[in-house]
Amino acid sequence: MLSPVDVSAQIARLIREDWGRILSALVSSTGNYALAEDSLQDAVVSALEVWPKKGIPINPDAWLITVARRKALDRIRRGETADRKSGELALWLEQHRADPEDRDMVIPDHRLELMFTCCHPALEEKSQVALTLRALGGLTTDEIARAFLDKRAAMAARLTRAKKKLAGAGIAFKLPEPEDLHTRTDAVLRVIYLIFTEGCHASSGQMMREELVQEAIRLGRILTGLLPDHAETRGLLALMLLSDSRRLTRRGADGSFVPLDAQNRARWDQARIREGIALTKSALGAGAAGPYALQAAISAVHAEAPSFADTDWPQIVALYDLLYRAQPNPVLRVNQAVALSYADGPQAGLDLLTRIEGEGRLQSYQPFHACRADLLARLGRLDDATQNYRAAIALSQAPEEAAFLEKRMDALNGP
Amino acid sequence: MQFICLIYNAEDNGPQPGTDEFGPYMQAYADYTQEVQDAGVMVGGEALQPIATATTVSVRDGKTELMDGPFAETKEQLGGYYILDCKDLDEALKYAAKIPDAKYGRVEVRPVMVFD
């Protein structure tokens, strides 16, 4: 017999898993996002009350969607929806009453439409992110606010505004037109990647933020399942898995940042690496590689290397060239300079940095100075290195970064 | 569903009357209007006289007050509009992007309210 705590944890997990699919089916049939979300929330509250007493139904999805439809009908009857079509909708819901214990009910999957809707470019990007976490991830407003270090009221207002726009602006619940599919899919990938990077920036102890990483991976898996032919979707999932494989080794016991060359490779997550490498290969094999697939490929080369010194640096240098061609951003050249310094020596890396120092806003980009400091130190130019470390420290935003660089700088004059 | 496309631009921005660009600019508007008519989405649309002709009216405590000029002193002013009947926002945004002034100014797209 499960304890009540186990039961509620099991229920919470079930609901979290199924939330997006059930919500997508409800939005598809009601055509009203806010009503669908409120009604599903009502059904969840009922489930948390009823299931611990009567047991979890055989088909929990059928139970939730059936109860949610009833709740939607209640809400319409109470006159809560200002929807012009609420009369028709009430009739439809009336006709589609079902038995919550129906074990054969098949719930259609409209998560792809839901993703494209939440990531519609007519919504502000941060709202796209929040809405995606709410609609597909089943996170509560509280959880999303905590994850983004926002005030609850501000996040609630943002979500309300976004839902009003969905309701009134004429954003259709549908897949994009074929000519828009490419850019619209890119927007969905960007939202998932933003969720991921936000989670990566969490310092230890910020549980909700760390969970964003797992949530982004889950969304990436769902999208990969829904768009099996889209190489960049696989590329993104691969990139996230490979990066996450090093999560445990990226920080020391005291929470300090541990660079790649000092990480304990034995503790890298091999299951994540195997899956990430397989996805990278399939994403690269599908024609012109996109930026996510190329970043995944770079991460895969690191993952496959037995040690930092035995890394295939020329391969990484070449991959950065391809990535720069797909996405001409001078920041990539800074990363490439690191790889080049191990492939052809620190002077080669330094020459590359000298070539690009006037580009973009590299002068205010902390890693540019940190990288140059490291290369100068390896060339024995200690005074120049110290000067560059100072510039990098001044530009550091996180205290752990500054602490890491200070330690490096102090080591220059050490024993 | 009906959408209004509100065309905003600074009056000294974009092709000006008397320049070589002005003829093709006007022709682009004629072509665009023809396109939305042929597509069956045109409900209405007009260009407005310059803001120098604007008078702003308000009534306070039963008293009508007039102000010479547009209601907001912004650089970009409403210069014209189209009302289009589109199947959804995506379609409306596509037509809005083709309005010649989208290249110079900005076009705000809003659904028209429907009352029962």
Side-chain angles (χ1 to χ4, degrees):
Chain A
M1 175 103 189
L2 291 169
S3 76
V5 177
D6 291 338
V7 173
S8 50
Q10 200 185 345
I11 292 171
R13 197 173 39 90
L14 251 174
I15 291 168
R16 181 81 177 268
E17 254 341 282
D18 298 344
W19 171 276
R21 210 155 63 84
I22 300 174
L23 182 65
S24 74
L26 280 168
V27 179
S28 168
S29 56
T30 62
N32 182 328
Y33 177 86
L35 177 67
E37 192 198 290
D38 290 343
S39 309
L40 182 54
Q41 188 57 47
D42 292 345
V44 165
V45 171
S46 298
L48 290 170
E49 254 171 55
V50 175
W51 293 1
K53 288 182 215 147
K54 293 194 175 170
I56 295 173
I58 291 170
N59 187 347
D61 292 7
W63 194 98
L64 286 167
I65 200 164
T66 306
V67 172
R69 282 181 186 159
R70 279 185 202 163
K71 300 286 186 184
L73 196 54
D74 291 346
R75 281 178 177 271
I76 293 171
R77 289 200 176 129
R78 288 202 300 268
E80 280 180 24
T81 53
D83 202 315
R84 282 182 298 121
K85 295 182 196 130
S86 54
E88 286 166 47
L89 184 53
L91 192 65
W92 186 91
L93 288 166
E94 194 80 70
Q95 286 165 345
H96 286 75
R97 274 177 178 277
D99 178 4
E101 301 298 332
D102 184 348
R103 57 183 68 190
D104 301 322
M105 186 194 285
V106 178
I107 296 161
D109 189 350
H110 291 288
R111 280 177 301 183
L112 197 52
E113 288 92 327
L114 190 57
M115 278 200 186
F116 280 116
T117 304
C118 291
C119 302
H120 195 284
L123 296 167
E124 202 191 316
E125 194 164 74
K126 194 168 173 190
S127 301
Q128 295 175 26
V129 169
L131 210 51
T132 301
L133 286 170
R134 177 78 190 114
L136 276 318
L139 270 67
T140 63
T141 306
D142 260 341
E143 288 170 332
I144 301 168
R146 253 183 294 144
F148 285 89
L149 308 175
D150 260 356
K151 291 208 167 63
R152 192 198 179 279
M155 187 50 78
R158 172 179 293 280
L159 281 166
T160 304
R161 212 162 47 233
K163 285 183 226 172
K164 270 194 187 142
K165 182 134 189 197
L166 283 188
I171 295 174
F173 188 72
K174 59 163 199 189
L175 298 180
E177 302 293 331
E179 72 267 24
D180 297 332
L181 195 59
H182 187 72
T183 50
R184 293 286 306 277
T185 307
D186 279 352
V188 176
L189 296 181
R190 189 169 60 241
V191 164
I192 295 175
Y193 193 51
L194 275 173
I195 294 170
F196 181 80
T197 51
E198 191 70 31
C200 289
H201 290 143
S203 46
S204 54
Q206 293 176 310
M207 278 307 289
M208 202 53 238
R209 278 164 72 73
E210 284 173 23
E211 243 180 76
L212 287 179
V213 169
Q214 305 313 319
E215 191 52 46
I217 290 175
R218 197 169 78 86
L219 290 169
R221 280 191 202 287
I222 294 171
L223 195 64
T224 309
L226 297 171
L227 292 171
D229 297 330
H230 195 255
E232 269 295 79
T233 303
R234 289 199 297 281
L236 173 61
L237 179 58
L239 173 61
M240 295 192 294
L241 288 167
L242 289 165
S243 165
D244 193 48
S245 73
R246 302 195 269 274
R247 177 170 35 102
L248 291 176
T249 57
R250 208 172 283 141
R251 285 186 194 283
D254 57 350
S256 63
F257 172 71
V258 181
L260 199 56
D261 59 340
Q263 289 179 19
N264 177 2
R265 291 178 185 233
R267 288 182 67 215
W268 285 358
D269 185 334
Q270 291 303 321
R272 285 260 194 265
I273 289 175
R274 273 193 303 277
E275 194 187 355
I277 287 178
L279 282 162
T280 306
K281 282 183 179 153
S282 101
L284 290 176
Y292 291 121
L294 289 167
Q295 289 175 80
I298 292 168
S299 200
V301 175
H302 286 301
E304 281 178 322
S307 69
F308 188 78
D310 292 325
T311 304
D312 186 352
W313 294 108
Q315 172 81 348
I316 292 181
V317 173
L319 285 166
Y320 271 117
D321 271 333
L322 291 175
L323 185 55
Y324 188 83
R325 219 174 295 159
Q327 212 174 44
N329 181 346
V331 163
L332 292 173
R333 291 292 192 210
V334 178
N335 298 333
Q336 191 179 29
V338 178
L340 199 57
S341 77
Y342 292 108
D344 296 343
Q347 189 59 50
L350 196 61
D351 290 344
L352 176 56
L353 289 185
T354 308
R355 271 208 307 283
I356 61 167
E357 66 185 345
E359 280 178 40
R361 283 179 298 174
L362 285 182
Q363 287 304 326
S364 52
Y365 182 61
Q366 186 254 49
F368 175 81
H369 300 279
C371 174
R372 193 156 63 180
D374 177 63
L375 298 179
L376 288 163
R378 282 159 58 198
L379 287 166
R381 292 166 59 183
L382 300 187
D383 288 345
D384 294 336
T386 305
Q387 205 183 334
N388 276 276
Y389 273 125
R390 288 219 174 92
I393 290 162
L395 289 166
S396 294
Q397 286 177 358
E400 305 101 83
E401 275 175 20
F404 171 78
L405 293 168
E406 267 162 33
K407 218 159 78 188
R408 282 266 166 131
M409 184 171 72
D410 294 343
L412 292 180
N413 309 312
Chain B
M1 136 174 226
Q2 289 190 2
F3 294 84
I4 190 163
C5 301
L6 300 161
I7 304 162
Y8 288 90
N9 199 358
E11 285 181 353
D12 57 359
N13 186 32
Q16 300 295 312
T19 63
D20 286 350
E21 298 85 45
F22 197 67
Y25 171 70
M26 293 309 284
Q27 187 56 46
Y29 264 104
D31 292 346
Y32 177 76
T33 304
Q34 192 63 49
E35 184 187 340
V36 284
Q37 272 168 352
D38 291 348
V41 297
M42 172 90 168
V43 177
E46 302 292 346
L48 307 181
Q49 293 279 355
I51 45 166
T53 64
T55 312
T56 303
V57 182
S58 58
V59 178
R60 297 289 179 272
D61 301 322
K63 197 167 153 266
T64 299
E65 290 165 13
L66 301 184
M67 196 186 81
D68 179 9
F71 101 96
E73 292 288 350
T74 52
K75 201 165 153 39
E76 291 183 321
Q77 291 286 346
L78 184 64
Y81 69 92
Y82 282 91
I83 296 179
L84 306 176
D85 194 1
C86 295
K87 63 178 194 299
D88 56 30
L89 180 65
D90 286 354
E91 192 183 32
L93 294 175
K94 273 200 183 124
Y95 281 116
K98 290 184 179 177
I99 294 176
D101 264 290
K103 278 209 249 343
Y104 312 106
R106 274 185 270 237
V107 180
E108 178 179 325
V109 178
R110 278 166 72 177
V112 173
M113 182 92 88
V114 180
F115 295 97
D116 292 319

